[in-house]
Amino acid sequence: MDDHKPVSERVYETPPTGRPIDEAEAARTAGLAHNEHLKIASGYLRGGLADGLLKHATGAISDDDGQLVKFHGMYLQDDRDLRPERTKKKLDKAYAFMIRLRIAGGVISPKQWLALDDIATTYAGDAIRATTRQTFQYHGVIKSNLKRTMAAIDAALLDTIAACGDVNRNVMAATNPAQTHAHAAAYALAKDISDSLLPKTNAWREIWLDGEKVVGGEEEFEPVYGRTYLPRKFKVVVAVPPSNEVDVFAHDLGFIAILDKNNKLTGWNVTVGGGMGMTHGETDTFPRTADLMLFCKPDEAVKVAEAVMTVQRDWGNRTNRKNARLKYTIERYGLKAFRAEVEKRVGISFADPKPFTFTGNGDRYGWTEGDDGRHHLTLYVPSGRIKDYEDGPKFLSGLRRIATQHEGDFRLTGNQNVIIANVPSEKRAAIEALVDEYGLTKGAGALRRNSIACVALPTCGLALAESERYLPHLMTELEESLARHGLQDDEITIRSTGCPNGCARPFIAEIGLVGRGPERYHLYLGAAFDGSRLGKLYREDVAASEIRDTLDPLFADYAKSRNPGERFGDFLVRAGHVAKTTNGPDFHDNIGALKPAA
């Protein structure tokens, strides 16, 4: 594809017809990616998992089963801090599993919170992480405890099905507590899409809960996915303007609520083709912001979601996983052809998208009163790590205590924070007292309020650099720099990841840090504050010790030369410090500082 021609001049490929190859010999002949062969041979995601769990000589599972187990909601990892010592002693790596839950819309009851807390303290090292995908994940669950952990999750009426893998993953939804009715509509849609696009295989219950096996020679059937599921992961979010806290443009499929003057839902704008991941040094991989595709009525949204996903199922690249996400499908075949196929599958000619406005992609900290009179408290949880900090907030203990008294629900946000939601007026003082007793944070400085970091080291096997453990130190340095220029109260988004897979969505942060190697990062600048525009690589392979000095003169120029109300990312583009990225294909063009910073 020629990425440099205007859209009107682009020549797109002809889309394929028919369903994906799901026969082993044909897959070999077609040269499909290794994971396609695994899925075909897996017996609907079973593989050798059941047998592998019985092999106690190692805490690991086979490489192939390591791919299949993702569909069940987990990754095999090891503690990389311990690798050198264990290697020296000729010991196996310190293997354990990360387990991620499927919680559409991020809403759970106090009873479920207590159950998840108990699982953490029993099997997962006394901590829970609130992820950037509005769910929880556990780290450090050893192989011999997997089935016990999964049984406990099931007992809480939750599961981990399709939290990872080449499927529709956890569906995110807007959490704005003030827009009670709009949030209810967003949450309902997230739940409906999650249920509709859930794999139907019984493998999860069979393997982890000793459920009944399919007998009598009957083969299972996946009516939506088929034997080979999707080419790659697929992520759906539901946003409610004016807040874009779910980062709708960073995902494969998005629904943006269109509200009337009374905040009543009239329908959804549909976005397609967003995604964050890329590979360092390979310019045919890139992050991309989603395109606005169409407007649909409320009762049409689930059908649209299924149609978008099945077009990606049939059109997505199954020979090269690095180019298999929906964003590359849109680039390859064009938005016009993709929309036409969606309309054909739904059987409706849809209207074009309606006007809307986003003002930011952060959370609203502290207390908020909803339009139904209930109260909601958003807590700042650094990098989503729910634990008891020595000489700091006692998140695990405090939220446990609150859950024993709270009568509403808890909500996770896409920014890794926690909302104590639906608090009656008469209960607010009691909740407030517990928050104060355990030192929970009802906010933070402007930079920290708009920060996200992925887990990275020591557990993530893909991490090239620190993220969660490094970002707080960096923000302390940057806060000093910002204060010196009178910018300490300015909202600026900053996000860090340990690798270019982009789990913390750094490419749409005004300051984005992407791990390149130990204590080295690519620095991206110039994204939009509302998450609608990608940043640009400003400086590559910058040492951690040099980041503050690199940004300080840019802060100085921003303080001196910005227009009223102008955001940091917009200023850097307007002032000529960094080029504007219009979308994925030009992400790698015109990189670097365009003029001296000072």
Side-chain angles (χ1 to χ4, degrees), residues 56-331:
H56 303 300
T58 175
I61 55 178
S62 72
D63 289 345
D64 285 354
D65 285 341
Q67 294 298 317
L68 288 178
V69 82
K70 296 176 184 178
F71 291 81
H72 297 253
M74 64 188 80
Y75 281 76
L76 175 65
Q77 300 180 331
D78 75 282
D79 190 328
R80 292 170 63 180
D81 284 349
L82 302 179
R83 273 189 194 177
E85 183 65 21
R86 292 183 71 86
T87 300
K88 183 179 178 182
K89 294 180 178 179
K90 298 183 179 179
L91 296 173
D92 206 3
K93 293 177 181 177
Y95 287 114
F97 289 79
M98 181 278 284
I99 298 177
R100 183 180 298 151
L101 281 81
R102 181 177 63 94
I103 309 174
V107 178
I108 63 170
S109 69
K111 184 177 179 180
Q112 289 174 319
W113 185 284
L114 291 171
L116 296 177
D117 176 292
D118 184 64
I119 293 168
T121 54
T122 304
Y123 302 116
D126 293 342
I128 320 172
R129 278 189 175 86
T131 79
T132 57
R133 292 212 52 74
Q134 210 173 35
T135 186
F136 291 113
Q137 63 189 39
Y138 298 115
H139 290 259
V141 180
I142 61 174
K143 183 177 172 181
S144 59
N145 282 334
L146 279 177
K147 293 183 75 169
R148 297 184 185 94
T149 305
M150 299 296 252
I153 291 170
D154 179 68
L157 304 181
L158 294 167
D159 61 58
T160 67
I161 303 168
C164 320
D166 300 344
V167 283
N168 174 53
R169 297 192 178 183
N170 197 56
V171 182
M172 298 169 65
T175 57
N176 189 347
Q179 295 171 294
T180 304
H181 300 296
H183 171 263
Y187 175 63
L189 179 57
K191 283 276 292 177
D192 288 346
I193 291 174
S194 180
D195 292 343
S196 175
L197 303 183
L198 190 66
K200 301 301 187 281
T201 175
N202 192 50
W204 190 85
R205 305 198 72 81
E206 181 184 309
I207 293 169
W208 306 111
L209 306 178
D210 296 324
E212 289 187 23
K213 297 182 180 180
V214 176
V215 295
E218 288 185 30
E219 185 174 9
E220 283 188 284
F221 179 59
E222 288 279 15
V224 175
Y225 286 105
R227 292 176 66 191
T228 54
Y229 296 86
L230 298 180
R232 280 296 301 273
K233 57 189 172 185
F234 189 84
K235 298 180 178 180
V236 183
V237 298
V238 185
V240 179
S243 175
N244 184 27
E245 83 267 38
V246 295
D247 281 326
V248 68
F249 299 109
H251 294 88
D252 298 85
L253 171 61
F255 292 86
I256 301 172
I258 303 301
L259 309 175
D260 64 18
K261 61 183 179 181
N262 297 316
N263 263 353
K264 183 179 178 181
L265 180 73
T266 63
W268 305 95
N269 280 351
V270 178
T271 63
V272 294
M276 289 289 96
M278 54 165 276
T279 302
H280 283 317
E282 299 186 21
T283 56
D284 61 340
T285 68
F286 45 79
R288 188 182 191 274
T289 48
D291 297 315
L292 279 164
M293 184 171 68
L294 55 84
F295 172 84
C296 71
K297 297 175 182 176
D299 62 351
E300 298 164 344
V302 175
K303 294 178 182 177
V304 170
E306 183 171 319
V308 170
M309 195 187 79
T310 60
V311 177
Q312 166 62 0
R313 175 198 68 196
D314 299 342
W315 289 16
N317 188 336
R318 291 181 182 263
T319 59
N320 181 0
R321 286 179 64 80
K322 289 182 179 180
N323 288 99
R325 291 286 297 275
L326 177 58
K327 60 184 176 181
Y328 300 115
T329 303
I330 299 292
E331 288 293 328

Side-chain angles (χ1 to χ4, degrees), residues 511-526:
I511 301 172
L513 298 160
V514 178
R516 190 74 178 90
E519 297 188 23
R520 306 196 73 83
Y521 299 84
H522 279 357
L523 175 62
Y524 293 87
L525 300 174

